[in-house]
Amino acid sequence: MSKPFKIPQSVLVVIHTPALDVLLINRTDSPGYWQSVTGSKDSEDEPFEATAIREVREETGIDCALGTLTDWGLENVYDIYPHYLHRYAPGITRNREHVFGLCVPAGTPVTLNPREHTAWQWLPYRAAADACFSPSNAEAILMLPDFAP
């Protein structure tokens, strides 16, 4: 049985501490591609907040209840990278990404899903933005001081 197509609606969750250190994770399929937590909705009717909570737990082991999850009210619309188009239904070329922040205490433990990520690091927010491969992820991180609780 083939895997269902991905829904072209996703979340970007900037996980950070009160001191604005940002958690970045490295993708298994793209060594050197540091990013924040991202992930697609599991169903069309899944709320973005539920997607954010699920993806944070799946990718980092962090329970959002340990921190403050904030909907930044921002969305990025971008072209899906050509090497990922096969994951989407024919004709789907753009994704809509909803942005959240998650403030957690310094020292929050991270447990990666080894199928998705190989390493993690906490960096001051400007350095984290510089390390991101995705321009929309870097932009979101640079906005962190405006949205942090």
Side-chain angles (χ1 to χ4, degrees):
M1 187 168 167
S2 65
K3 208 172 174 182
F5 289 120
K6 286 183 70 157
I7 296 167
Q9 297 177 46
S10 65
V11 296
L12 168 66
V13 185
V14 177
I15 301 174
H16 64 92
T17 66
L20 306 186
D21 289 332
V22 172
L23 176 65
L24 293 182
I25 50 183
N26 190 216
R27 298 178 59 94
T28 57
D29 63 356
S30 302
Y33 276 40
W34 291 95
Q35 65 178 60
S36 294
V37 167
T38 61
S40 296
K41 287 183 167 188
D42 273 351
S43 64
E44 291 279 347
D45 62 346
E46 181 179 39
F48 281 114
E49 182 175 349
T51 304
I53 291 167
R54 176 178 48 76
E55 288 292 337
V56 166
R57 183 178 291 274
E58 286 176 5
E59 294 188 11
T60 68
I62 296 172
D63 181 346
C64 287
L66 298 175
T68 303
L69 183 66
T70 306
D71 184 340
W72 289 5
L74 301 173
E75 287 191 345
N76 300 308
V77 177
Y78 58 85
D79 290 333
I80 298 165
Y81 288 115
H83 58 281
Y84 293 134
L85 286 173
H86 69 278
R87 298 178 179 177
Y88 297 86
I92 300 294
T93 61
R94 295 180 67 74
N95 185 69
R96 182 168 58 107
E97 177 182 75
H98 199 86
V99 182
F100 290 86
L102 174 63
C103 185
V104 296
T108 296
V110 176
T111 304
L112 297 179
N113 177 338
R115 289 178 321 214
E116 294 190 43
H117 299 95
T118 59
W120 57 271
Q121 61 181 334
W122 291 96
L123 293 172
Y125 83 97
R126 290 183 198 277
D130 288 343
C132 282
F133 80 94
S134 162
S136 64
N137 194 164
E139 284 178 34
I141 290 171
L142 290 174
M143 289 187 270
L144 179 57
D146 297 329
F147 288 98

